[in-house]
Amino acid sequence: MRKGLLKLATVATLALTTASFAQDKNYTVGVSIPAADHGWTSGVVFHANRVAESLMAQHPGLNIIVKTSPDAASQANALQDLETQGIDALVILPSDPDPLVNSIKEIKSKGTFVAIVDRAPSVNDDSVRDLYIAGNNYALGETAGNYIKTTTPDAEVVVIRGLPIPIDQTRQDGFDKAIEGSNVKVLDRQFGNWNRDDAFKVMQDYLTKFPKIDVVWCQDDDMAVGVLQAIEQAGRTDIQYVVAGAGSKDMIKKVMDGDKMIPVDVLYPPAMVGTALEMTVAGLYAQVPMRGTFTVDATLITKDNAAAYYFPDSPF
């Protein structure tokens, strides 16, 4: 991740360093993101500020304003405030995209470059944004399923889902497709709401219900914390490992250290907000094309590559 989440991010960095002709120009970029109300969004806030500081150090004429908001209504107000400051570009990770579409369109109608990160509105086209960057939800499930199918081909698996929303279903579809036709058996699926306490309770139920469980797929690093606590408290030794996802520093450290319960993790990085910010600024200074839809790979993090994705100073 330190070298860029996308090849396009590398292109953006090269464009920025070679665009000396534009270094004297002044630009203001607004960044609107959710408040750090759980692990993943705390990572978003960390990486937004980290990349903003780096880019402003590279470009003396660049001002990046980062605003966090706890809900869609507050975020709409934050967008109005950014608009009054005369921003040249907006990078936004919407807390709830559809209620914010009109506010985003209002900004875009003034010629402002708009990059949307992760959470797309129902109509996600160039009437709303210029650039869309997101993680690959289908591949997040598919990567986990392929790893389980290959590593433990006869595994009996319990699944802890996130929330009953389209992103979660897309992840489930990828997982189910990956294990289709294999001997991997799913014992049960329940929602853990991407919350470690809820996942702890779900895992407790599974441990009571099933005398033998080989693998847990819980798709989210926050939920994995609750899962591991439940397994430890129950004293169960039959569970071979847990596969989660996102790329939190705690889970990546476990992978780096060879923790047998967390042998891998699947990347769904909060640092994608930094990728969007770098590409947006490259478009301003280097005047290179940065419009379209770009997807961050759901990389399988292993002991061999984990160090590249480890940010010890991140809160997530």
Side-chain angles (χ1 to χ4, degrees):
M1 198 180 328
R2 295 181 187 278
K3 298 179 181 177
L5 297 172
L6 296 169
K7 291 181 179 178
L8 283 167
T10 303
V11 172
T13 303
L14 291 172
L16 284 169
T17 57
T18 58
S20 57
F21 67 90
Q23 292 300 308
D24 58 342
K25 290 187 177 180
N26 296 324
Y27 292 108
T28 299
V29 177
V31 180
S32 177
I33 52 180
D37 58 1
H38 66 283
W40 195 83
T41 52
S42 67
V44 170
V45 174
F46 170 81
H47 288 290
N49 284 297
R50 177 183 65 85
V51 174
E53 290 174 6
S54 174
L55 289 171
M56 286 190 290
Q58 295 174 46
H59 306 283
L62 177 63
N63 182 32
I64 300 176
I65 306 166
V66 179
K67 285 186 171 290
T68 62
S69 306
D71 51 49
S74 300
Q75 196 166 18
N77 292 331
L79 291 177
Q80 287 182 341
D81 183 55
L82 288 170
E83 186 179 4
T84 62
Q85 298 188 54
I87 57 175
D88 300 289
L90 170 69
V91 175
I92 178 170
L93 197 163
S95 55
D96 190 0
D98 284 338
L100 291 167
V101 163
N102 289 337
S103 297
I104 296 170
K105 282 186 173 181
E106 171 67 22
I107 291 174
K108 190 175 186 301
S109 70
K110 297 183 177 180
T112 305
F113 183 94
V114 173
I116 295 180
V117 183
D118 186 42
R119 301 171 188 174
S122 299
V123 178
N124 183 26
D125 59 22
D126 59 9
S127 70
V128 173
R129 48 79 186 158
D130 299 284
L131 174 65
Y132 176 58
I133 291 184
N136 193 329
N137 286 289
Y138 186 89
L140 186 146
E142 185 179 40
T143 300
N146 282 331
Y147 178 81
I148 293 169
K149 176 178 65 177
T150 302
T151 307
T152 44
D154 298 312
E156 294 187 333
V157 181
V158 292
V159 174
I160 303 182
R161 302 183 59 164
L163 291 166
I165 59 175
I167 285 176
D168 176 85
Q169 187 58 54
T170 301
R171 294 176 177 184
Q172 295 301 311
D173 291 345
F175 181 82
D176 289 344
K177 184 64 176 178
I179 65 171
E180 186 177 52
S182 73
N183 290 330
V184 174
K185 179 182 179 182
V186 175
L187 300 173
D188 200 356
R189 308 171 194 258
Q190 293 183 32
F191 289 102
N193 305 314
W194 290 321
N195 178 281
R196 65 181 61 184
D197 293 332
D198 292 347
F200 175 83
K201 294 173 184 175
V202 171
M203 193 63 208
Q204 281 186 319
D205 289 342
Y206 284 160
L207 293 169
T208 301
K209 185 176 181 181
F210 301 108
K212 178 179 179 294
I213 299 170
D214 295 310
V215 178
V216 182
W217 178 50
C218 61
Q219 71 162 254
D220 176 80
D221 289 347
D222 272 348
M223 293 201 297
V225 174
V227 168
L228 292 172
Q229 288 175 343
I231 293 171
E232 182 179 4
Q233 284 190 16
R236 290 281 290 267
T237 59
D238 51 305
I239 295 99
Q240 297 179 40
Y241 60 89
V242 176
V243 179
S248 73
K249 68 175 183 181
D250 291 340
M251 291 301 148
I252 290 178
K253 187 66 166 61
K254 288 179 181 293
V255 175
M256 291 170 64
D257 292 343
D259 189 320
K260 70 180 184 65
M261 290 299 291
I262 304 289
V264 297
D265 199 30
V266 184
L267 189 65
Y268 194 87
M272 69 177 74
V273 70
T275 304
L277 188 51
E278 290 215 28
M279 294 177 68
T280 296
V281 172
L284 292 174
Y285 277 96
Q287 298 178 345
V288 293
M290 287 294 174
R291 287 172 168 80
T293 300
F294 305 105
T295 304
V296 180
D297 287 342
T299 304
L300 183 69
I301 300 173
T302 67
K303 190 173 183 179
D304 292 335
N305 65 5
Y309 303 96
Y310 182 57
F311 288 90
D313 295 330
S314 171
F316 176 73

